[in-house]
Amino acid sequence: MDSVNAARSLQFASELTVAWLSNPNTKAGQDDAAAFLTAMFGIVEKLAAQPSGPVGEDPAADQQLPVSIEQSLASEDFIISLIDGKPYKALRRHLSRHGLTPAEYRQKFGLPDNYPMVAAKYSKERRELANRTWTGRRSEAKRS
């Protein structure tokens, strides 16, 4: 490793160590901090030495999905999440808990733009409820 990369690795390892030490729950002595810095430097050097994959590589290709994309949409009652393999009527809240937007979720797993975020049956139920609840309200608003 050349001196520039070694300096960057040391800088990054130092930043990680400072972040660890600034955590109020960390109870560490001087020896612990030195050992942590040494460990972080070794890890950062090891990661920097690994060759990176091709730029255009599909991230979903290396991931082991809990179910196939087809199986995730097999039921009208729910959609199975490709993150944890659990069924959901709607994915939006689940995705936000994992720090993802629907667009990021689709991109992460190589899904088409029209991949649904709400189960078909649940969407139909909500549409029918909305139509029952709001039917005739527009005409009432125009009369007032």
Side-chain angles (χ1 to χ4, degrees):
M1 182 178 286
D2 63 4
S3 62
V4 173
N5 286 338
R8 286 182 184 158
S9 295
L10 182 59
Q11 176 68 28
F12 189 60
S14 299
E15 290 173 8
L16 289 170
T17 303
V18 168
W20 178 65
L21 289 171
S22 64
N23 183 341
N25 295 325
T26 302
K27 307 286 190 250
Q30 187 175 7
D31 293 336
D32 295 331
F36 187 81
L37 176 60
T38 303
M40 286 299 102
F41 181 69
I43 291 169
V44 170
E45 274 190 321
K46 183 178 177 182
L47 289 173
Q50 291 179 350
S52 60
V55 176
E57 190 174 311
D58 183 19
D62 293 339
Q63 294 177 341
Q64 183 65 22
L65 300 177
V67 296
S68 71
I69 295 170
E70 293 78 23
Q71 289 172 334
S72 71
L73 298 175
S75 174
E76 288 188 354
D77 296 331
F78 52 82
I79 297 175
I80 298 177
S81 168
L82 298 176
I83 297 172
D84 60 7
K86 294 180 181 176
Y88 296 92
K89 287 184 179 181
L91 289 176
R92 193 172 301 268
R93 184 178 297 156
H94 169 64
L95 296 179
S96 68
R97 288 182 183 142
H98 291 276
L100 294 171
T101 64
E104 291 169 339
Y105 177 75
R106 288 180 179 116
Q107 182 181 18
K108 179 177 180 177
F109 293 106
L111 303 171
D113 290 339
N114 63 351
Y115 185 88
M117 292 290 123
V118 179
K121 186 174 179 181
Y122 184 65
S123 178
K124 183 180 176 186
E125 290 170 2
R126 296 291 297 181
R127 184 173 35 257
E128 289 171 356
L129 177 66
N131 287 337
R132 277 194 312 250
T133 306
W134 291 98
T135 300
R137 298 251 174 141
R138 287 189 184 151
S139 60
E140 290 174 11
K142 288 180 183 179
R143 288 185 224 158
S144 307

